């Protein structure tokens, strides 16, 4: 856990320092965001999904991230209409509040707190839940929210079908019967390992605390939804389902309590959906989750 916290914190701080150094001109985060979404994330998906072992009893764990992402839309739209928020702000909250950092924080935390059994469940939540939702529904939602006019259905489908992480997902599933050569596995591993440091460096590069007070209502509501409301509802729901193994309940609750997904903030920034709020959700949410996520796990232990 200390290594995870150290890596995340270091990359975030380095991004902040880089922005204040004057060595990175405005817009420098753009190429980093593109690399994360178009190279590092597809490489990670190609490697992990290709060897994922899915057990039918884990269907509940895989379904949970889809449910709270779908619930994020009406939740934030209802509040946004009453508080006068723009559609870009609402979309940024849906993306970051509706998707958890179930890979780069969730998996190491699950291994540290629940062992190898918990890690196996956490991988299913991440790959068949969060990553699939990011590659499909979240991409679709970001495209619609950023369009100046209503996009035809065919154009929306094309956006999703050509989104590199989704293409990587399809290819990895098609190639499951075929083993990767050792050099391909090595290349994918090295490219995928760049995702966390580059994404968090990019978040730090874009993180601005000017105007923080004005964004506090949206930020507070977004983090309340992701760090408190979602895991709280998941705790109550899973405890009401009979016959679930304790490790499935615990790992699913822990993953649902993760901070907003870094890749979701990058996706919001790429589509110009209130990027300042999106990176604040990640920059503030990750440190908070180190306190709130273990607390939510304690409730089901």
């Amino acid at each position: 856990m200390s290594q995870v916290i150290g890596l995340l914190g270091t990359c975030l701080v380095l991004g902040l320092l880089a922005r204040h150094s004057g060595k990175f001109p405005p817009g420098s985060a753009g190429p980093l965001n593109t690399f994360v979404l178009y190279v590092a994330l597809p490489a990670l998906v190609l490697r992990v999904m290709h060897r994922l072992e899915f057990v039918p009893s884990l269907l509940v764990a895989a379904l949970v991230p889809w449910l709270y992402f779908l619930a994020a839309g009406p939740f934030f739209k209802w509040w946004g209409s009453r508080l006068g928020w723009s559609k870009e702000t609402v979309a940024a909250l849906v993306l970051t509040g509706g998707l958890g950092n179930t890979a780069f924080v969730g998996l190491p935390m699950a291994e540290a707190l629940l062992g190898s059994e918990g890690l196996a469940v956490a991988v299913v939540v991440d790959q068949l839940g969060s990553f699939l939702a990011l590659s499909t529904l979240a991409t679709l939602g970001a495209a619609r929210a950023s369009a100046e006019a209503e996009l035809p259905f065919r154009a929306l489908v094309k956006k999703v079908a050509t989104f590199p992480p989704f293409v990587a997902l399809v290819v990895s599933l098609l190639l499951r019967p075929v083993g990767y050569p050792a050099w391909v596995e090595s290349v994918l591993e090295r490219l995928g390992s760049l995702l966390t440091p580059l994404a968090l460096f990019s978040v730090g590069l874009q993180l601005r605390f000017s105007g923080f007070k004005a964004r506090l209502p949206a930020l507070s509501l977004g983090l309340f939804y992701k760090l408190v409301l979602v895991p709280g509802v998941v705790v109550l729901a899973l405890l009401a389902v009979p016959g679930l193994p304790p490790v499935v309940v615990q790992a699913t609750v822990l993953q649902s309590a993760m901070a907003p997904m870094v890749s979701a903030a990058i996706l919001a920034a790429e589509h110009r959906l209130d990027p300042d709020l999106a990176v604040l959700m990640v920059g503030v949410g990750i440190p908070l989750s180190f306190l709130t996520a273990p607390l939510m796990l304690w409730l089901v232990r």
Side-chain angles (χ1 to χ4, degrees):
M1 276 299 298
S2 61
Q3 293 179 355
V4 175
I5 294 172
L7 174 63
L8 297 176
T10 299
C11 294
L12 197 60
V13 170
L14 285 174
L16 282 167
L17 293 175
R19 182 166 65 84
H20 289 290
S21 69
K23 301 294 184 182
F24 289 77
S28 294
L32 292 176
N33 293 346
T34 301
F35 183 88
V36 166
L37 290 178
Y38 285 71
V39 180
L41 183 55
L44 182 73
V45 173
L46 278 170
R47 179 170 172 265
V48 176
M49 288 300 294
H50 182 259
R51 59 187 187 183
L52 177 67
E53 295 296 330
F54 179 70
V55 181
S57 62
L58 297 179
L59 179 61
V60 171
L63 187 61
V64 166
W66 291 89
L67 294 178
Y68 65 72
F69 178 77
L70 289 171
F75 179 84
F76 289 116
K77 285 177 183 176
W78 190 88
W79 280 103
S81 66
R82 278 149 184 79
L83 297 174
W85 294 339
S86 67
K87 70 170 186 176
E88 290 80 10
T89 293
V90 170
L93 287 172
V94 171
L95 289 173
T96 53
L99 292 167
N101 201 338
T102 52
F104 310 112
V105 178
L107 297 184
M109 191 178 287
E111 185 175 27
L113 299 177
L114 299 173
S116 58
E117 276 190 285
L119 178 62
V121 179
V123 168
V124 171
V125 176
D126 175 58
Q127 293 298 308
L128 298 184
S130 302
F131 263 134
L132 266 179
L134 172 72
S135 301
T136 53
L137 294 183
T139 304
L140 186 65
R144 290 188 65 181
S146 62
E148 295 182 0
E150 187 69 22
L151 287 175
F153 179 74
R154 180 178 295 182
L156 290 173
V157 171
K158 184 179 178 181
K159 285 268 187 182
V160 174
T162 57
F163 185 50
F166 181 78
V167 174
L169 173 67
V170 173
V171 171
S172 66
L173 294 176
L174 291 176
L175 293 179
R176 278 177 68 86
V178 182
Y180 290 153
W183 69 269
V184 172
E185 184 78 19
S186 176
V187 169
L188 293 177
E189 181 179 8
R190 290 177 181 273
L191 287 175
S193 67
L194 294 174
L195 196 151
T196 300
L198 283 181
L200 279 166
F201 182 85
S202 176
V203 166
L205 202 58
Q206 299 172 83
L207 193 57
R208 288 171 175 80
F209 293 101
S210 57
F212 179 82
K213 187 176 180 180
R215 296 191 174 278
L216 193 55
L219 178 64
S220 300
L221 183 65
L223 292 179
F224 169 76
Y225 178 84
K226 186 66 200 73
L227 300 180
V228 180
L229 183 60
V230 163
V233 171
V234 170
V235 166
L236 296 176
L238 293 185
L239 290 179
V241 177
L244 283 179
V247 69
V248 172
V249 173
Q250 292 167 10
T252 305
V253 167
L254 184 64
Q255 286 286 58
S256 72
M258 287 300 105
M261 183 190 286
V262 179
S263 299
I266 299 294
L267 184 64
E270 277 284 287
H271 286 81
R272 301 180 299 281
L273 299 172
D274 203 341
D276 290 343
L277 176 61
V279 297
L280 274 173
M281 285 284 289
V282 172
V284 177
I286 286 178
L288 284 178
S289 70
F290 292 134
L291 301 174
T292 58
L295 177 62
M296 292 295 173
L297 177 61
W298 175 79
L299 294 177
V300 292
R301 281 191 133 172

